[in-house]
């Protein structure tokens, strides 16, 4: 079996360091907050080149808390994409606002900035782009639109830690860590929300997330909301805070992994290039935009008979997954957001996308076996 992801191999690569980090926390007796969490926040801030990072309990919490910290609430509208994990929309609704959906660009699966104006109303307060599959959305156009209309921008960077937004024509190395100086996903708007879910490129061994921002006020408000509206214990300055904390065990594990992230992302890019070469004449391979350093959280192809291809791969012992089989407006819980047929690019993508095995520990023979299996089906 060639799984779509191999978290066991990742652990074995770092076993001695991770085991030592866990033992350090257990011996300390401090499991919530404390020096491990503070150190991770500092290290993440340095990595992303932002002054403020606020950790929390999940990527969904990061989105929701960031929206609340931006002041989103009842009566507000947030423009976002229908082609995303549902947490993007849940966070908007939990904040009391309403998601307004615009279609995707079929080349890169992210928000189509040319359609933003069609969704603008007097109630629009923010734009929430998703950097899907590890490729940055077209942020120059999105930011220009937001600035023109006085809107906030919250980036859903759950799948894109380490991805970069670069000048067109920037040459990116394949197969080695990138020294590109351009800004990273999640640092281009008013705030970025990230996930530490175990399957992410930088994953914990449980849930977790964080908010990155250049704004001291945004960071302060996010930290208050994540801790029962309190900065000093038992003194509460916000009436409706939450409990959303990253525990020290997860922070210690993530601190071991973070120094390896660039190398792991470089390996993902190397694997993607091999897939490109082997599959581009048979299926629609991912389109890497000229402005983007794609970190391939998923390697997602398109095929008109996606389900037949997935079944064939399963017969060959090869894992695959559909991210995502239904756009948001076709989910039973979200049918009121847009009628079927009004977001055709997202609907077509949902019928055709298929993610192939992608993780830094794929061996050459496994990669070639995936390519052979796809080619024999198509």
């Amino acid at each position: 079996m060639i799984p779509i992801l191999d978290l066991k191999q990742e652990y074995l690569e770092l076993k001695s360091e991770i085991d030592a980090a866990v033992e350090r926390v257990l011996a300390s007796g401090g499991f919530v907050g404390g020096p491990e969490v503070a150190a991770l926040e500092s290290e993440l801030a340095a990595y992303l080149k932002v002054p403020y990072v606020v950790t929390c309990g999940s990527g969904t919490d990061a989105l929701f808390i960031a929206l609340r910290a931006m002041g989103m609430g009842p009566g507000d509208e947030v423009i976002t994409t229908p082609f995303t994990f549902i947490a993007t929309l849940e966070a908007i609704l939990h904040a009391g606002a309403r998601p307004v959906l615009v279609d995707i660009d079929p080349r890169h699966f992210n928000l189509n900035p040319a359609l933003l104006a069609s969704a603008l109303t007097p109630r629009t307060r923010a734009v929430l782009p998703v950097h899907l599959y590890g490729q940055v959305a077209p942020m120059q156009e999105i930011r220009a639109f937001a600035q023109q209309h006085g809107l906030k921008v919250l980036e859903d960077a759950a799948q894109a830690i380490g991805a970069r937004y670069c000048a067109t024509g920037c040459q990116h190395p394949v197969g080695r860590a990138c020294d590109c100086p351009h800004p990273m996903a999640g640092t281009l708007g008013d705030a970025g929300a990230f996930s530490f879910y175990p399957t992410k490129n930088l994953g914990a061994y449980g849930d977790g997330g964080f908010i990155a921002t250049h704004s001291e006020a945004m960071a302060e408000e996010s930290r208050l909301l994540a801790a029962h509206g309190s900065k000093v214990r038992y003194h509460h300055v916000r009436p409706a805070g939450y409990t959303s904390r990253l525990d020290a065990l997860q922070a210690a594990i993530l601190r071991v992994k973070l120094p390896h992230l660039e190398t792991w992302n470089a390996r993902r890019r190397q694997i993607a290039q091999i897939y490109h070469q082997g599959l581009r004449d048979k299926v629609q391979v991912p389109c890497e935009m000229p402005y983007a350093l794609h970190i391939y959280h998923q390697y997602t192809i398109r095929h008109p008979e996606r389900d037949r291809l997935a079944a064939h791969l399963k017969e060959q012992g090869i894992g695959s997954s559909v991210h995502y089989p239904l756009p948001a407006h076709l989910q039973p819980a979200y049918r009121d957001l847009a009628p079927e047929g009004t977001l055709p690019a997202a609907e077509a993508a949902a019928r055709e996308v298929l993610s192939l095995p992608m993780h830094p520990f794929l061996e050459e023979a496994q990669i070639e076996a995936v390519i052979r299996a796809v080619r024999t089906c198509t």
Side-chain angles (χ1 to χ4, degrees):
M1 181 69 184
I2 301 175
I4 191 168
L5 182 65
D6 190 349
L7 295 179
K8 182 185 293 186
Q9 184 60 38
E10 180 187 88
Y11 167 64
L12 292 175
E13 290 283 326
L14 302 175
K15 184 179 186 303
S16 61
E17 295 175 73
I18 289 174
D19 290 354
V22 170
E23 290 175 6
R24 181 175 72 243
V25 174
L26 295 176
S28 77
F31 305 115
V32 176
E36 295 287 352
V37 173
L40 176 64
E41 290 182 347
S42 177
E43 290 159 9
L44 286 167
Y47 173 69
L48 293 172
K49 298 180 175 63
V50 295
Y52 306 104
V53 160
V54 179
T55 53
C56 57
S58 69
T60 307
D61 284 0
L63 286 166
F64 166 61
I65 290 167
L67 287 167
R68 279 288 314 275
M70 289 177 175
M72 300 299 136
D76 296 333
E77 293 179 350
V78 179
I79 299 174
T80 193
T81 169
F83 196 57
T84 180
F85 182 59
I86 210 64
T88 309
L89 282 80
E90 287 176 327
I92 296 169
L93 290 165
H94 281 307
R98 177 176 174 78
V100 176
L101 304 179
V102 299
D103 212 352
I104 61 171
D105 185 318
R107 295 173 299 169
H108 51 66
F109 303 111
N110 288 318
L111 271 179
N112 186 340
L115 302 176
L116 291 173
S118 66
L120 187 69
T121 77
R123 293 184 174 183
T124 307
R125 293 282 310 283
V127 182
L128 204 172
V130 178
H131 304 312
L132 199 68
Y133 303 149
Q135 178 158 230
V136 185
M139 290 300 296
Q140 181 176 342
E141 295 91 337
I142 291 170
R143 288 196 304 179
F145 175 82
Q147 289 168 2
Q148 180 183 357
H149 298 286
L151 309 177
K152 297 288 189 182
V153 177
L154 172 60
E155 300 169 71
D156 184 338
Q159 300 182 11
I161 188 166
R164 289 167 170 82
Y165 190 85
C166 307
T168 300
C170 181
Q171 298 300 308
H172 300 132
V174 174
R176 56 188 176 88
C178 184
D179 57 2
C180 173
H182 300 294
M184 292 190 180
T187 71
L188 296 148
D190 294 280
F194 295 79
S195 171
F196 289 135
Y197 190 71
T199 61
K200 298 298 190 286
N201 291 32
L202 180 64
Y205 292 160
D207 267 318
F210 72 95
I211 298 161
T213 182
H214 294 278
S215 166
E216 182 179 6
M218 177 79 192
E220 179 71 12
E221 187 67 14
S222 297
R223 202 173 293 281
L224 280 172
L225 289 170
H228 298 287
S230 172
K231 185 175 182 180
V232 178
R233 193 175 189 187
Y234 302 134
H235 292 76
H236 306 273
V237 296
R238 295 291 181 272
Y242 312 92
T243 175
S244 183
R245 298 177 292 224
L246 184 71
D247 67 71
L249 281 168
Q250 301 302 341
I253 291 165
L254 289 161
R255 291 184 66 203
V256 171
K257 290 186 173 187
L258 179 57
H260 300 273
L261 178 60
E262 286 289 289
T263 300
W264 289 343
N265 282 348
R267 175 57 178 163
R268 287 173 179 268
R269 287 179 51 75
Q270 185 180 56
I271 293 167
Q273 295 303 315
I274 300 171
Y275 276 152
H276 289 348
Q277 293 297 322
L279 297 175
R280 62 171 37 132
D281 64 327
K282 290 293 185 179
V283 298
Q284 184 175 326
V285 299
C287 174
E288 185 165 331
M289 300 304 289
Y291 60 75
L293 185 135
H294 199 323
I295 49 86
Y296 292 97
H297 171 62
Q298 302 293 346
Y299 187 89
T300 303
I301 62 173
R302 296 185 70 154
H303 191 277
E305 297 182 75
R306 184 265 314 287
D307 294 340
R308 180 174 69 87
L309 176 57
H312 173 74
L313 293 177
K314 185 177 181 179
E315 290 174 359
Q316 302 296 311
I318 295 170
S320 66
S321 188
V322 177
H323 303 101
Y324 298 94
L326 284 177
H329 66 294
L330 299 187
Q331 296 282 352
Y334 293 86
R335 289 275 184 173
D336 63 322
L337 294 182
E340 186 172 358
T342 57
L343 301 166
E347 293 173 23
R351 292 191 296 268
E352 297 179 358
V353 294
L354 186 68
S355 299
L356 302 180
M358 172 57 79
H359 59 83
F361 305 100
L362 275 173
E363 298 175 359
E364 302 300 322
Q366 293 176 311
I367 300 166
E368 293 302 325
V370 174
I371 292 171
R372 284 196 303 273
V374 173
R375 294 186 67 87
T376 57
C377 182
T378 57

